[in-house]
Amino acid sequence: MALTRLFHFILAGFLKTFNFSGLEKRAGYIVFVVFQVGWFCLYLKWFAMQTSEIGFVPLLLFILPMLACGSRRINDAGYSRGVFILLLIAPYLLFPFLAFPASATRK
């Protein structure tokens, strides 16, 4: 049961790659960020280390969904859209500010 929920969070993160205006709950954001960092580290260790270069497609599969997920989490947490600039500059420093606050109340 829990494994299917984790898989759902990961799949939804990839399927909503070009949706920067929706909402993303805390659990979905945390699971997706941890998965993205994990697979990209493994990619860097096993493939990029041997050829000394990072492929364009894996880089896009890492960056675009992370930016979209972070943007949706900024919307859900109730932060200003200007925070997106911080997400571009320092995405991992912004992680605690996006992972811990609850969703903003909406009318």
Side-chain angles (χ1 to χ4, degrees), residues 7-80:
F7 180 72
H8 173 71
F9 285 142
I10 294 166
L11 183 63
F14 280 114
L15 290 177
K16 294 189 279 184
T17 295
F18 298 104
N19 179 9
F20 287 82
S21 62
L23 302 176
E24 187 73 46
K25 300 293 182 191
R26 276 189 293 189
Y29 175 73
I30 291 171
V31 168
F32 190 70
V33 168
V34 169
F35 172 77
Q36 284 286 82
V37 169
W39 85 257
F40 198 68
C41 287
L42 291 175
Y43 167 77
L44 290 176
K45 182 178 192 265
W46 289 333
F47 297 107
M49 192 176 194
Q50 295 172 359
T51 62
S52 298
E53 62 184 36
I54 298 174
F56 184 70
V57 172
L59 190 61
L60 283 180
L61 286 175
F62 178 70
I63 291 176
L64 288 177
M66 287 285 287
L67 289 177
C69 188
S71 176
R72 290 190 307 270
R73 181 64 193 139
I74 287 169
N75 295 339
D76 191 50
Y79 292 132
S80 167

Side-chain angles (χ1 to χ4, degrees), residues 66-95:
M66 287 285 287
L67 289 177
C69 188
S71 176
R72 290 190 307 270
R73 181 64 193 139
I74 287 169
N75 295 339
D76 191 50
Y79 292 132
S80 167
R81 294 293 290 174
V83 176
F84 187 75
I85 295 170
L86 292 175
L87 186 66
L88 292 172
I89 296 170
Y92 299 111
L93 294 177
L94 196 59
F95 179 76

